[in-house]
Amino acid sequence: MAVVTLQNVRKVYAGDIEAVKGVSLDIPDGHLCVLVGPSGCGKSTLLRMVAGLETITSGSVAIGGREVNEVEPADRDIAMVFQNYALYPHMSVYDNIAYGLRNRRTPKDEIDRRVQEAARILAIEPFLNRKPRALSGGQRQRVAMGRAIVRKPQVFLFDEPLSNLDAKLRVQMRVEIKKLQRALGVTSIYVTHDQVEAMTLSDKLVVMNAGRVEQVGAPSEVYRRPATRFVATFIGSPPMNLLDGVVEGEGRVRVDGAVLDVSDMRAGLQPGHLVEVGIRPEDLEIVGSASNSVSLPIDFVEELGATQLFYGALGGQPFVVQAGTGVVPADAKSLGLRIAAERIHVFDRESGQRLGRVAETAAA
Amino acid sequence: MVERRHWFSDMLPHLILTIGVGILAFPVWLAVVGSTWDAGTIANGTMPLYPGPYAVENYTRALGHGGRSSGEPVGMLMLNSFVMALAIALGKIAISMISAYAVVYFRFPFRMAAFWLIFITLMLPVEVRIYPTYQVVAQVGLLDTYAGLAVPLIASATATLLFRQFFMTIPPELVEASKIDGAGPLKFFKDTVLPLSITTMAALFVIQFIYGWNQYLWPLLITTRPDMQTIVVGIKKLLVTQDALTEWQIAMTTAVLAMLPPVLVVLVMQKLFVRGLVETEK
Ligand SMILES: Nc1ncnc2c1ncn2[C@@H]1O[C@H](COP(=O)(O)OP(=O)(O)OP(=O)(O)O)[C@@H](O)[C@H]1O
Ligand SMILES: [Mg+2]
């Protein structure tokens, strides 16, 4: 069990490709930290630097207070689960799980005890004598987990461990990983580009973009108060609507001819300041055709079962509304919308930074 | 779409294959038959196409004494050939596997240069570099030794390339998992690369054993003592005789015996061999 601390970590690959551009991060003991971001943003690179599989160009990585920049992967007391599992194809499941312990000269009976225990926890006892190729994807995934947990490491590292599984199994394994991580209390870093996985798994969510950290926080906080326009559109599905707007006065923004009251906007902004207003599709109130509402002509509707998505455009910019099935009459041609002042996010149009509070409370 | 097949289109492939097999097998059959007749029958051109009564006599003489002109018992020649072929095959596998491992898994200075140097040796088989090679072998005193027979033939670009190709199909995550599991380069080689390469090694062994067994020019050049000769050289000597009649029955017998070890190697390794050539599963 250990705290993981990254300080201004950078990675420059051969050919001046700067994959990670200075990341600082504190992961408290026992927390599950999820790195999420679009493809190529440097998540894997960052994780692999913690694992010791990539050299660290500058900055420092510390595990349990010990700087490990120059420490071999085997001596960092970490275990890693790979996307393609990386099981040894010629070894039985038992040997796959035991291999790391054998290399550490753990006594035989101790190895056996630990392998059996891991197999029991992961329900893979019936397969211990099989070769990986005789297992299904989900079973291989479990073996890979087994290989990680027998070692009782200080840190688990996961690089998109579920992305080779089908949707249903992915949800199931997601829950299991979370439970297991809770039960073992091992500090974990989990890389994914699936934002649902990221939201559901994390104690601490790190949103990355182009080699930088955009925002760190509890998942609910990141969702409620995205620090940048990028985070706003990346977290949440369907993504947040963005409309161009102009500051009208304190707490007021003009969007497409209408003036909106905003409760969370930085004070002292000059009227005329160019902003973008963010509204989540699920935050809108549908009010029929009441006064002081905005009317959205419906272009088309997507049925998701429990909810429906209404697509249209406001002021020439695409706009999506999510509503419970049945709330809107089937033959409606337009929606009357109202939005609560505290549900409106305001971003600087130039920098994309949130113009408002980011942290919910002082302590993260 | 299901197609009605004509009897002719069923038969055609069989017909072609039968002709092919016939062409390949006929000389072998001739040799086998020849090894069971006496010299006279073969020499006057009336040898029938079925086995004759002299098999036991011919084989005992060949194995025990050899032909008049070569004077070495075939058993001895076969042993020499066997040692040489085995040393070449095993040596090639060992060396090329290690060098491929270095080229694929280590980032050392001039790595690509090393790789291209290995590659270029494809253009330098023994026959091309035979004179300098002979000089070196002679000067270090390896004439008439097994080492002299085998070592110069061991370096192999083909095998190195084959292993390199194979290693590059091993997922890089396996190396990383090994690193995290505490296995260094030697342990990774022993615990993961070697077991995964077994079928590739088997395929190479078959090919290289036959390559070694069939060597003619090199053993001819560096062996002077009759008891260090290989069987392929021995057959040649049986055919060229200055004073006496060629002992065709002994030549045929020797030829048949010379075919046996490669055939045995292929038979024994067949399963692994085929898997090694076609296997893609990692
Ligand atoms: N060995 C390498 N050499 C050079 N550039 C690399 C190397 N590995 C990764 N990169 C580059 O670094 C950047 C970050 O790569 P990384 O694998 O960390 O992305 P990622 O966030 O994990 O993406 P994905 O979600 O697709 O896995 C990419 O632009 C990639 O092209
Ligand atoms: Mg990645």
Side-chain angles (χ1 to χ4, degrees), chain A residues 11 13-15 17-20 37-48 54 83 159-160 191-193 208:
Chain A
K11 174 70 191 183
Y13 281 112
I17 303 164
E18 193 171 5
V20 176
S39 188
C41 71
K43 317 178 287 286
S44 297
T45 304
L46 192 61
L47 188 78
R48 292 161 54 79
E54 290 301 344
Q83 174 173 355
D159 194 354
E160 311 206 17
V191 165
T192 179
H193 57 242
M208 288 185 68

Side-chain angles (χ1 to χ4, degrees), chain A residues 48 51-53 72-74 78-80 82 84 86-91 96 99-101 103-104 133 147 151, chain B residues 171-184 187-196 275 279 281-282:
Chain A
R48 292 161 54 79
L53 299 171
E72 289 293 316
I78 48 130
M80 184 153 170
F82 295 86
N84 65 1
L87 301 176
Y88 307 112
H90 55 292
M91 294 185 197
N96 260 286
Y99 187 60
L101 295 176
N103 289 342
R104 282 177 176 70
R133 84 168 73 89
R147 193 165 66 177
R151 298 247 317 274
Chain B
E173 286 86 355
L174 234 44
V175 186
E176 298 177 341
S178 294
K179 274 188 199 164
I180 292 176
D181 271 340
K187 227 170 163 15
F188 176 65
F189 185 78
K190 178 171 99 31
D191 290 347
T192 304
V193 171
L194 261 181
L196 288 178
R275 259 207 286 157
E279 180 161 286
E281 185 191 13
K282 296 287 125 48

Side-chain angles (χ1 to χ4, degrees), chain B:
Chain B
M1 195 177 78
V2 182
E3 213 179 312
R4 271 232 114 144
R5 304 196 54 187
H6 196 256
W7 65 267
F8 183 69
S9 58
D10 278 341
M11 289 307 295
L12 191 64
H14 286 280
L15 190 71
I16 294 173
L17 288 175
T18 312
I19 294 174
V21 169
I23 291 173
L24 286 178
F26 184 68
V28 178
W29 177 246
L30 267 191
V32 172
V33 171
S35 70
T36 60
W37 289 98
D38 60 330
T41 320
I42 303 173
N44 65 25
T46 57
M47 186 184 87
L49 285 179
Y50 51 85
Y54 296 95
V56 177
E57 186 190 320
N58 287 348
Y59 281 93
T60 6
R61 213 187 110 207
L63 282 170
H65 302 277
R68 240 179 290 122
S69 48
S70 81
E72 284 303 314
V74 174
M76 171 70 118
L77 300 182
M78 283 178 80
L79 180 72
N80 291 342
S81 279
F82 185 78
V83 171
M84 177 175 84
L86 198 68
I88 289 177
L90 294 180
K92 266 183 193 278
I93 289 174
I95 294 250
S96 54
M97 198 166 175
I98 293 167
S99 39
Y101 187 66
V103 169
V104 173
Y105 287 104
F106 293 85
R107 299 282 164 274
F108 50 91
F110 306 114
R111 179 171 143 268
M112 280 326 276
F115 176 70
W116 283 106
L117 276 177
I118 296 174
F119 194 77
I120 282 172
T121 63
L122 268 183
M123 289 180 277
L124 301 170
V126 218
E127 289 77 8
V128 176
R129 55 184 161 89
I130 203 152
Y131 181 69
T133 311
Y134 179 85
Q135 280 292 312
V136 172
V137 169
Q139 273 168 25
V140 294
L142 289 181
L143 296 181
D144 282 321
T145 62
Y146 285 136
L149 277 171
V151 172
L153 301 182
I154 276 179
S156 170
T158 336
T160 310
L161 293 179
L162 200 89
F163 274 119
R164 171 175 176 269
Q165 237 40 44
F166 170 73
F167 290 166
M168 294 205 308
T169 67
I170 297 179
E173 286 86 355
L174 234 44
V175 186
E176 298 177 341
S178 294
K179 274 188 199 164
I180 292 176
D181 271 340
L186 278 179
K187 227 170 163 15
F188 176 65
F189 185 78
K190 178 171 99 31
D191 290 347
T192 304
V193 171
L194 261 181
L196 288 178
S197 309
I198 285 179
T199 49
T200 309
M201 289 196 288
L204 263 178
F205 180 82
V206 172
I207 295 171
Q208 302 300 357
F209 183 87
I210 294 171
Y211 163 87
W213 184 268
N214 286 340
Q215 281 305 311
Y216 173 68
L217 189 57
W218 180 249
L220 180 69
L221 208 63
I222 76 144
T223 54
T224 49
R225 283 188 1 231
D227 66 330
M228 281 305 293
Q229 264 170 30
T230 63
I231 189 157
V232 178
V233 176
I235 294 175
K236 177 67 177 52
K237 286 208 174 156
L238 282 173
L239 300 185
V240 190
T241 48
Q242 281 119 12
D243 46 352
L245 263 176
T246 299
E247 292 180 288
W248 282 109
Q249 83 283 24
I250 300 300
M252 295 292 192
T253 308
T254 312
V256 171
L257 286 170
M259 273 184 268
L260 287 181
V263 169
L264 275 180
V265 166
V266 171
L267 285 183
V268 170
M269 311 277 281
Q270 188 187 27
K271 242 180 155 170
L272 278 175
F273 176 68
V274 174
R275 259 207 286 157
L277 290 185
V278 301
E279 180 161 286
T280 49
E281 185 191 13
K282 296 287 125 48

Side-chain angles (χ1 to χ4, degrees), chain A residues 319-331:
Chain A
F319 201 86
V320 188
V321 177
Q322 185 167 29
T325 300
V327 172
V328 179
D331 58 351

